[in-house]
Amino acid sequence: MPPSEGQPAERPAEQPAERPARREHRYDIDLLRVICACSVIVGHVGGECMAAVDKSAENGTAVYWTGVFLDSVTAWAVPMYFAIAGWAVLIGAPPRDGGTLRKRSLRMIIPVGIWTVVYLAWGRLRDTNGEPTSHLAVDAVFGSIRPAFHLWYFYAHVPLILLLGAVILLKAGKRPWGVIAALVVVASGPTALSDVGEVTGWDVPSFGWQFGTYSLVYAVVGALLLSLPATRREHRVWWLVGAVASLAAILWSQDRIHFVIPNASIFVAALTACVLFAVKGVRIPERVRPVLSKLTDAGLGAFMFHVLLLKTIADPFISADRGWLGSVAAVAALSVATVVPSFALSMLWGRLKLRRYLG
């Protein structure tokens, strides 16, 4: 029956809005995260070898080259972390608002703060800090960590995700004032502290909450490369060949130019790209995925904790007097003795619901 004059016609029932398709979980990126964490630890084992020979082959050829190799073969790990961070912010899980970025930042900052206290206390107990603990603690607030040297990464990671996240939110029409304020502090911090030192004559700490151009490029290019279709199986071997060639160039650079090779090196970038393409899109069997997920969750905590363990147990393993067989056996044993407990302890405090505090 038609509606009477002036009476609006009934509207057809509105169709429920379609939910966006759920993004498939990237287990290949989980695999990269786990390999990155293990590679950083093994690379630091190589650093212990280099420290034992004072970075000179004259003090122990076998230990020197073992250290150079371990540091070189793992040189891609930190750049890959930046690449994965870029993919996560720009593509994998873009922030919905400033609150999302705040939570992600605190997920890094809180464990870094707690582990800094732990490393400073452990160093003071063992009398290895080298400077008054109070001075080191003040420096750590502003971004100069010495007892826990590996935590420098997070002082670059947090500003980087804030910048990339702010761009995403601005493009979406949001106004993330808190994030913008934090970026202003990051940008002005070095100059402001320097000016305070000039005016007052104080010995001010350096401001380390910064990211380099190279880390931004790794993040953006990494997001692009990780979003490409999966590498075809028949092409993976060629990327592995490229990785071997890049590794040879890094070994040459570390020995002939300087150790440690910068993350911004074109050789490191080439190795990182080759590893990325070799692993990207690899299919993880379903039976392995639960274990991989647990290892992925534990990776951050293992990364934060491992230096404390490594520095405590390394001396009996590493000696400049070892020959080739002894050096290889020693670094293999030390790597296992560091990687396995680091992941095991991280899994333990994850089960105890302490991931928020310990990473």
Side-chain angles (χ1 to χ4, degrees):
M1 181 177 179
S4 58
E5 187 176 351
Q7 181 180 353
E10 293 183 5
R11 295 180 180 179
E14 293 185 1
Q15 297 295 325
E18 293 185 3
R19 294 182 179 180
R22 185 177 180 181
R23 188 181 299 273
E24 183 179 357
H25 188 79
R26 293 288 299 271
Y27 287 101
D28 58 330
I29 293 181
D30 282 353
L31 179 62
L32 278 173
R33 285 190 173 112
V34 173
I35 299 174
C36 280
C38 294
S39 295
V40 168
I41 297 173
V42 172
H44 287 158
V45 171
E48 292 298 306
C49 292
M50 296 300 283
V53 297
D54 197 24
K55 300 180 182 180
S56 173
E58 295 178 356
N59 298 326
T61 302
V63 174
Y64 171 83
W65 279 108
T66 301
V68 170
F69 177 78
L70 290 182
D71 190 86
S72 299
V73 79
T74 60
W76 60 274
V78 169
M80 189 70 76
Y81 268 133
F82 284 123
I84 293 172
W87 173 84
V89 175
L90 298 176
I91 297 174
R96 297 185 299 272
D97 50 37
T100 303
L101 285 174
R102 182 174 63 253
K103 291 177 181 177
R104 293 184 186 182
S105 299
L106 290 176
R107 195 180 304 162
M108 302 292 175
I109 293 173
I110 292 174
V112 166
I114 291 173
W115 279 112
T116 298
V117 172
V118 171
Y119 276 94
L120 288 172
W122 186 242
R124 182 172 182 176
L125 181 65
R126 301 175 67 219
D127 195 25
T128 57
N129 281 342
E131 292 185 31
T133 304
S134 58
H135 292 179
L136 294 176
V138 171
D139 288 348
V141 171
F142 292 94
S144 177
I145 297 216
R146 275 163 280 180
F149 61 87
H150 62 303
L151 297 184
W152 72 266
Y153 169 80
F154 299 100
Y155 288 76
H157 178 101
V158 172
L160 180 62
I161 65 172
L162 289 178
L163 177 64
L164 296 177
V167 172
I168 293 293
L169 294 177
L170 289 172
K171 185 175 182 298
K174 303 291 181 64
R175 300 292 182 266
W177 294 110
V179 177
I180 298 301
L183 289 172
V184 170
V185 172
V186 167
S188 62
T191 300
L193 273 181
S194 177
D195 289 348
V196 168
E198 288 291 333
V199 172
T200 63
W202 297 344
D203 183 17
V204 298
S206 59
F207 191 88
W209 292 92
Q210 302 285 304
F211 58 85
T213 302
Y214 80 89
S215 58
L216 178 61
V217 172
Y218 275 127
V220 174
V221 175
L224 169 65
L225 298 184
L226 287 169
S227 68
L228 295 176
T231 303
R232 297 175 65 174
R233 183 179 300 179
E234 60 269 24
H235 294 164
R236 294 190 193 279
V237 64
W238 293 111
W239 289 111
L240 291 174
V241 170
V244 171
S246 302
L247 173 59
I250 293 173
L251 286 167
W252 171 82
S253 178
Q254 299 248 65
D255 178 53
R256 294 297 183 90
I257 301 178
H258 60 85
F259 180 91
V260 176
I261 191 170
N263 290 326
S265 166
I266 190 66
F267 300 142
V268 174
L271 178 60
T272 304
C274 288
V275 172
L276 186 151
F277 278 111
V279 177
K280 184 172 63 67
V282 66
R283 186 182 179 280
I284 307 299
E286 290 191 14
R287 67 180 182 278
V288 178
R289 292 178 182 178
V291 175
L292 178 61
S293 296
K294 291 179 180 179
L295 291 173
T296 303
D297 291 341
L300 178 62
F303 177 96
M304 291 185 169
F305 166 76
H306 80 274
V307 168
L308 186 148
L309 177 62
L310 177 61
K311 291 292 184 180
T312 303
I313 67 175
D315 284 348
F317 290 89
I318 305 300
S319 171
D321 298 329
R322 292 189 185 276
W324 287 103
L325 183 59
S327 296
V328 173
V331 298
L334 181 57
S335 297
V336 172
T338 307
V339 171
V340 174
S342 296
F343 272 88
L345 283 171
S346 182
M347 288 181 179
L348 175 61
W349 68 62
R351 296 194 60 164
L352 296 175
K353 309 299 183 185
L354 297 175
R355 187 74 66 206
R356 175 183 178 185
Y357 306 103
L358 300 178

